[in-house]
Amino acid sequence: MQAPDTPNAAQAGAAPPLSRFGAVLRVTSGNFLEQYDFFLFGFYATFIARTFFPAASEFASLMQTFAVFGAGFLMRPLGAIILGAYIDKVGRRTGLIVTLGIMASGTILIACVPGYATLGMLAPLLVLIGRLLQGFSAGAELGGVSVYLAEMATPGRKGFYTAWQSASQQVAIIVAAALGYILNLLLTPEQTGSWGWRVPFLIGCVIVPFLYILRRSLQETAEFQARRHHPATSEVFRSMLVNWKTVVAGMMMVAMTTTTFYLITVYTPTFGRSVLHLSTADSLVVTFLVGISNFIWLPIGGAVSDRIGRRPLLLFISALAIVTSYPALEWLAHAPSFLRMLTVLLYFSFFFGVYNGAMVAALTEVMPVEVRVAGFSLAYSLATAIFGGFTPAVSTFLIEMTGDKAAPAYWMMFAALCGLVATVVLYRRGGAAELQARLG
């Protein structure tokens, strides 16, 4: 694996704090839109199912909806390779403007498509296309943003800076949950089912121009500008093949964070309503508070990993998730209540925030510098496609097949095991020395 170019520490540290804050805000704006729309799709899954996927049973209808939700994640690896290679070639700024445009197209399509009763089979097909566009864009969005933040970070604070990639997504969760709560108060269930669920999607469309203006004002990173060679797409593909073991191990490391995230955010409203039989308001309040908790823990996890290293944090959280996930979820399922649901999901939020805060920085460090965006994006996208994106569908299936309301914990424990093994592999004696060289 080729050693990275030496970052220009003087340049990285030269920008004033307000300038760096503005850069973080501009680069993470697209992350906000991505997660805002993804969360809405999961939260309004029941209404989307009735609008676009009518079926004989609620289970069948929900499974079709979650399958379309997951299909968007299957496009992520393709977007990671194609758009990730494009970003590694032309630069972070230009590439991230392109990903925002593609993502916005998918959002607008989902918000405006008439239902099955009006368009017949064309309606679910158009929704599927919208999800595929979003997935294709998101495949490189997370990698592009994470690498941008890593390259602009001041020395010794890479974990803290890259944590804001995920933190921006939590703002989207908070905003979406708050909007859902307000609509739940103002509209009847019939109004929400017929047209009210589209309102948050349309609001997402309205903010697209503002996000574009923010991202358009981005400056290219000094590290990318200083690099003498920018690989062609064919070179990126060849390097990805050579480093496939790193990509696979990175995918397994991401599995823990992406599964936990989609379990405690996107799946929570459906789990609360359909499985635990709690009120819609309870589920939304829990999701809102989980978003706040995630936002707090992410930079803490990143900052702590800057002080003690990525490896100890990743191993500790993975092991804790393996041992305690099922007992926590079984305690909730045994006697469902608002307080128990809040307690368990805030506990899982601790898992996600601390682990992800360390993991994102680690993933930018293990990838060869010349294909940093493509490698990061492919590893992240594969994990999201295989684990995170299908977490709502897998959770629904496990509960249906086993009759155990705590069954989603098995999926989370498996993902945590993958994260534990991957951390050991990437940080084995030789790998740890290489990572220290990259950091030092």
Side-chain angles (χ1 to χ4, degrees):
M1 193 177 290
Q2 183 178 336
D5 297 348
T6 303
N8 190 329
Q11 281 183 306
L18 283 178
S19 175
R20 290 197 295 270
F21 173 79
V24 170
L25 177 64
R26 289 191 291 272
V27 75
T28 57
S29 60
N31 265 0
F32 174 92
L33 178 64
E34 177 213 343
Q35 199 52 57
Y36 174 82
D37 194 64
F38 273 43
F39 170 78
L40 290 178
F41 199 98
F43 172 66
Y44 289 110
T46 303
F47 303 113
I48 292 173
R50 294 170 187 167
T51 303
F52 298 107
F53 306 97
S57 69
E58 182 179 0
F59 170 71
S61 185
L62 270 177
M63 284 300 291
Q64 290 179 51
T65 304
F66 283 137
V68 170
F69 179 76
F73 292 93
L74 295 179
M75 285 294 288
R76 286 193 175 205
L78 184 62
I81 294 173
I82 296 175
L83 292 177
Y86 175 74
I87 295 174
D88 279 322
K89 179 181 179 181
V90 304
R92 317 315 187 199
R93 175 187 177 276
T94 302
L96 288 172
I97 291 173
V98 171
T99 62
L100 178 62
I102 297 173
M103 189 186 309
S105 300
T107 299
I108 292 170
L109 190 59
I110 293 174
C112 300
V113 171
Y116 184 90
T118 302
L119 294 183
M121 286 302 297
L122 184 60
L125 177 61
L126 289 174
V127 170
L128 176 61
I129 292 173
R131 290 289 300 130
L132 295 179
L133 285 172
Q134 289 178 328
F136 183 74
S137 168
E141 170 74 18
L142 289 177
V145 170
S146 299
V147 169
Y148 187 98
L149 292 171
E151 291 182 350
M152 66 162 280
T154 53
R157 303 190 71 192
K158 186 181 293 185
F160 176 76
Y161 270 83
T162 55
W164 293 103
Q165 175 260 105
S166 293
S168 67
Q169 297 180 349
Q170 311 317 308
V171 177
I173 296 295
I174 294 167
V175 172
L179 276 174
Y181 184 81
I182 292 170
L183 289 174
N184 184 64
L185 293 177
L186 297 177
L187 303 178
T188 65
E190 292 74 21
Q191 289 173 322
T192 302
S194 62
W195 57 269
W197 66 267
R198 293 183 186 269
V199 173
F201 284 94
L202 292 172
I203 292 174
C205 296
V206 170
I207 66 174
V208 166
F210 299 100
L211 299 181
Y212 175 77
I213 292 170
L214 281 174
R215 185 159 282 186
R216 193 169 179 269
S217 62
L218 274 177
Q219 300 296 314
E220 187 55 78
T221 66
E223 183 176 338
F224 182 85
Q225 290 177 325
R227 202 167 300 144
R228 295 187 183 91
H229 175 65
H230 298 149
T233 302
S234 58
E235 293 178 86
V236 174
F237 290 167
R238 283 196 298 271
S239 182
M240 295 293 290
L241 289 174
V242 170
N243 294 286
W244 68 270
K245 291 181 180 178
T246 302
V247 172
V248 171
M251 175 199 74
M252 293 175 62
M253 188 165 64
V254 178
M256 162 64 182
T257 190
T258 190
T259 299
T260 306
F261 178 72
Y262 284 98
L263 183 68
I264 65 176
T265 56
V266 174
Y267 183 60
T268 291
T270 300
F271 182 65
R273 284 196 313 265
S274 302
V275 179
L276 302 181
H277 305 297
L278 300 176
S279 71
T280 297
D282 284 349
S283 298
L284 281 168
V285 171
V286 168
T287 306
F288 178 83
L289 294 174
V290 163
I292 294 176
S293 175
N294 290 345
F295 185 83
I296 294 171
W297 283 118
L298 281 161
I300 291 175
V304 171
S305 76
D306 286 332
R307 298 294 295 273
I308 70 172
R310 323 290 184 215
R311 182 176 180 270
L313 226 50
L314 296 174
L315 291 176
F316 172 70
I317 297 297
S318 297
L320 195 62
I322 293 171
V323 173
T324 64
S325 292
Y326 185 83
L329 211 54
E330 198 279 332
W331 177 73
L332 167 61
H334 179 71
S337 69
F338 170 78
L339 286 178
R340 286 198 176 201
M341 186 177 184
L342 179 62
T343 301
V344 170
L345 292 187
L346 287 180
Y347 178 57
F348 289 169
S349 168
F350 165 74
F351 288 172
F352 165 74
V354 175
Y355 183 95
N356 195 77
M359 184 279 300
V360 173
L363 197 57
T364 65
E365 292 160 358
V366 300
M367 293 299 165
V369 66
E370 70 276 7
V371 291
R372 189 176 282 161
V373 174
F376 183 107
S377 299
L378 184 58
Y380 211 109
S381 299
L382 286 171
T384 308
I386 297 171
F387 292 90
F390 284 97
T391 290
V394 170
S395 299
T396 302
F397 176 80
L398 287 174
I399 293 171
E400 181 74 14
M401 293 300 102
T402 64
D404 182 359
K405 295 179 180 179
Y410 296 131
W411 184 238
M412 185 170 167
M413 292 162 64
F414 175 65
L417 179 62
C418 290
L420 184 71
V421 171
T423 301
V424 171
V425 170
L426 287 171
Y427 284 85
R428 62 186 183 274
R429 186 169 301 174
E434 182 178 4
L435 287 178
Q436 289 303 317
R438 287 179 180 275
L439 287 168

